[in-house]
Amino acid sequence: MIDVVNLRVGDFDTPSPGSIAEPFTVLAELQQQGLIRHLGVSTVTSEQVAEAQSIAPVACVQNFYNIAHRVDDELVDSLAAQGIAYVPYFPLGGFSPLQSDALIAVAARLGATPMAVALAWLLQRSPNILLIPGTSSIVHLRENIAGAALELPEDALAELDAIGAS
Ligand SMILES: NC(=O)c1ccc[n+]([C@@H]2O[C@H](COP(=O)([O-])OP(=O)(O)OC[C@H]3O[C@@H](n4cnc5c(N)ncnc54)[C@H](OP(=O)(O)O)[C@@H]3O)[C@@H](O)[C@H]2O)c1
């Protein structure tokens, strides 16, 4: 049995509205046959999440989200309230790594790196966030893991929150 299968919808990094009932029903049937344990959806609108939930339970949603790209703020909160995992892809900006003076300033104050702070911000953003940062470098991997242990104080959080608002 496969633990979790996501239905990947949408364009490269943006959802395309429209019904996902047909393909999600196929996955739900495979789940009923015992081939898949949990179902998820990726690059979806909140309406598509709701439509999927009317067909079968959704365990996780994987969408484009990071400290500077906050389109899904409301969706993150609504999924948290339902106990559903939110998996932000491009958590470090993906092909355009995050660049922000505020991130650099907060990181310098905390003695951390900007990427570790960006990951710590995601983990503190909501308890349902599961992180999947990508790297091809052992040095970066260590740095990113260090982000998990970093506790951001309130003043740093306020400064970091402003990045997504600009
Ligand atoms: N569902 C979907 O449609 C979808 C779409 C995109 C991605 N994803 C998934 O999301 C996950 C993350 O995506 P991603 O890897 O493309 O994006 P990402 O984690 O936002 O960024 C990876 C980029 O950041 C750099 N990086 C990582 N750690 C760094 C550090 N400490 N300092 C400086 N640069 C650092 C990496 O370069 P180095 O290699 O040099 O460290 C790489 O260029 C992957 O598992 C991917 O499969 C899913």
Side-chain angles (χ1 to χ4, degrees):
M1 183 183 284
I2 302 175
D3 281 335
V4 57
V5 173
N6 282 343
L7 175 67
R8 175 56 164 90
V9 194
D11 298 326
F12 169 65
D13 60 10
T14 317
S16 352
S19 176
I20 60 169
E22 192 180 338
F24 197 76
T25 299
V26 173
L27 287 184
E29 284 164 7
L30 294 176
Q31 185 182 40
Q32 276 160 18
Q33 289 166 26
L35 297 173
I36 301 173
R37 189 164 284 127
H38 297 293
L39 299 178
V41 282
S42 177
T43 319
V44 282
T45 61
S46 47
E47 290 77 17
Q48 288 168 331
V49 173
E51 186 186 29
Q53 288 180 296
S54 73
I55 296 166
V58 170
C60 54
V61 174
Q62 187 173 136
N63 273 5
F64 177 23
Y65 183 83
N66 61 46
I67 195 168
H69 185 86
R70 307 273 294 278
V71 175
D72 269 358
D73 267 336
E74 277 182 29
L75 181 59
V76 170
D77 294 334
S78 119
L79 294 173
Q82 301 172 69
I84 296 173
Y86 183 90
V87 186
Y89 69 72
F90 294 156
L92 297 173
F95 296 110
S96 315
L98 292 169
Q99 284 184 313
S100 146
D101 289 342
L103 200 53
I104 292 169
V106 168
R109 270 203 328 264
L110 298 176
T113 66
M115 291 311 195
V117 170
L119 295 175
W121 180 86
L122 280 169
L123 288 175
Q124 268 177 252
R125 167 66 181 77
S126 185
N128 63 331
I129 291 206
L130 300 184
L131 278 189
I132 51 165
T135 182
S136 55
S137 140
I138 300 278
V139 172
H140 287 167
L141 178 65
R142 292 209 169 98
E143 195 179 314
N144 297 345
I145 288 171
L150 197 60
E151 274 197 37
L152 301 172
E154 284 302 321
D155 61 331
L157 282 176
E159 214 170 315
L160 294 168
D161 273 339
I163 296 174
S166 57

